[in-house]
Amino acid sequence: MESSSEGVAGVGDGGGVEDPARTEASAPEAVVPGAVVQEAVTPEAVAPEAVAPEAVVPEAVATAVAAIAPASLSPSRAGDFMQCPLLYRFRVIDRLPEKPSPAATKGTLVHAVLERLFDAPAAERTAPRAKSLIPGQWDRLRETRPEVGELFADDPEGERLAGWLVEAERLVERWFTLEDPTRLEPAERELFVEAELDSGLRLRGIIDRVDVAPTGEVRIVDYKTGKAPRPEYAEGALFQMKFYALVVWRLKNVVPRRLQLVYLGSGDVLTYDPVLADLERVERKLLALWEAIRLATRTGEWRPRPTKLCGWCDHQAHCPEFGGTPPPYPLPVTLPVRAAESEGGAQGRMGPG
């Protein structure tokens, strides 16, 4: 779908401030933490490189910021809760620091290159030009996020860094086999969107690219530096895109014509054409998920959910599944109804546990 720059420039008018880092993720009828839909979150759908760094907070900042109850939901944080409610707590409420990973940082770098390439005139959007942007964007990334410099602190000769940059170049080159940037004029790039549902739930996120055809049809595009999931996990991979489509629909009353995932790791393109019923189902799932998050926030009950992804988690030292102890819960809690009844009906607020 060729695109123009008209028709969606106001998509982000919902207000708000851009997330600390790019975001960089489905839910049940029940509202019990740990009972959310599980088939949508799989090792293929949430690979290590796909974990967004938006909740990665330097330790000094984490200790200086008072804990507050969650007030909005993004695809990444929805994915965290579905993967493991305790992980959500560690990232959103406790704001525990996390080390940068080579895969996630490479994804951030490649996204920056593909975004900046569209600053050039169409005829100059070539693979050599895109690769030439990598060193400058890497320097910029180190300036804005100094912690990524730790990735190669033990690489004095620069050999690992050189190989890592070559891998980034290959991902950028592969994109040119999947899309032709000389025929694209994105309406938006790295677009922050935020919408408040009738329930009061605020949804927010950052869309990699929005294309608008001359006929007004909207396409939402997301770049993935990993490999495409197996067909049985495609629905989970599309959840993030349906989330964004829901926000656009709520903001502009327009159902996007196409959702497109571009997998640079495997050279695949996954597309889906949503209908209104899809977005209504996603909204119902998100409302149920949000109720589960609110319940866990009130009670302080954040249950771990062990999966194969635990091997990549930075918080094993605080996780009961690995013999660890979570930090003291920093928010007031309310005794669950059944627990209150078992203690003679005592109810009310409790201090941090």
Side-chain angles (χ1 to χ4, degrees), residues 200-326:
L201 170 59
R202 283 191 292 122
L203 305 178
R204 62 193 307 180
I206 299 177
I207 302 175
D208 288 348
R209 199 179 85 217
V210 179
D211 299 333
V212 180
T215 55
E217 294 175 308
V218 175
R219 175 172 63 188
I220 296 176
V221 181
D222 194 75
Y223 309 119
K224 300 295 185 185
T225 51
K227 296 180 180 180
R230 296 198 298 268
E232 59 266 35
Y233 297 125
E235 181 61 27
L238 280 169
F239 176 74
Q240 174 187 4
M241 305 302 285
K242 292 181 180 180
F243 184 109
Y244 291 146
L246 169 62
V247 176
V248 170
W249 171 51
R250 283 303 190 186
L251 284 174
K252 306 298 291 183
N253 199 30
V254 172
V255 176
R257 174 68 178 83
R258 173 154 293 181
L259 311 177
Q260 181 167 303
L261 285 161
V262 181
Y263 287 95
L264 305 176
S266 57
D268 296 297
V269 176
L270 177 63
T271 62
Y272 183 80
D273 296 342
V275 296
L276 182 57
D278 290 326
L279 308 188
E280 292 172 337
R281 281 193 294 270
V282 170
E283 183 168 341
R284 290 194 296 270
K285 288 183 176 183
L286 289 173
L287 291 174
L289 177 62
W290 187 243
E291 285 304 311
I293 292 173
R294 291 176 64 190
L295 179 60
T297 303
R298 291 194 303 269
T299 63
E301 294 183 6
W302 300 92
R303 303 173 186 173
R305 180 183 294 132
T307 68
K308 295 179 180 179
L309 297 175
C310 291
W312 289 294
C313 184
D314 280 343
H315 308 303
Q316 293 180 10
H318 297 288
C319 181
E321 294 294 326
F322 292 86
T325 302

Side-chain angles (χ1 to χ4, degrees), residues 112-193:
V113 169
L114 299 186
E115 179 191 4
R116 294 274 68 86
L117 181 65
F118 284 102
D119 291 340
E124 298 178 19
R125 298 171 194 160
T126 63
R129 183 183 182 94
K131 290 194 295 183
S132 73
L133 296 175
I134 291 177
Q137 291 302 313
W138 171 233
D139 290 341
R140 180 175 178 272
L141 183 58
R142 286 185 296 174
E143 291 175 2
T144 57
R145 294 178 56 194
E147 67 273 15
V148 302
E150 301 173 10
L151 291 172
F152 304 102
D154 58 348
D155 182 35
E157 302 300 323
E159 294 181 2
R160 285 200 303 111
L161 173 59
W164 183 82
L165 291 172
V166 168
E167 292 172 359
E169 287 185 355
R170 289 172 181 162
L171 293 173
V172 169
E173 283 185 309
R174 184 168 289 146
W175 178 60
F176 286 83
T177 69
L178 306 174
E179 296 191 286
D180 182 359
T182 66
R183 295 171 56 85
L184 296 170
E185 290 298 338
E188 299 286 353
R189 292 171 275 154
E190 296 291 314
L191 174 67
F192 175 80
V193 291

Side-chain angles (χ1 to χ4, degrees), residues 20-21 52-58 77 80 90-92 95-98:
E54 75 178 84
V56 179
V57 181
R77 299 294 73 87
D80 286 344
F90 287 158
R91 285 180 164 170
V92 176
R95 304 191 186 188
L96 297 182
E98 296 182 356

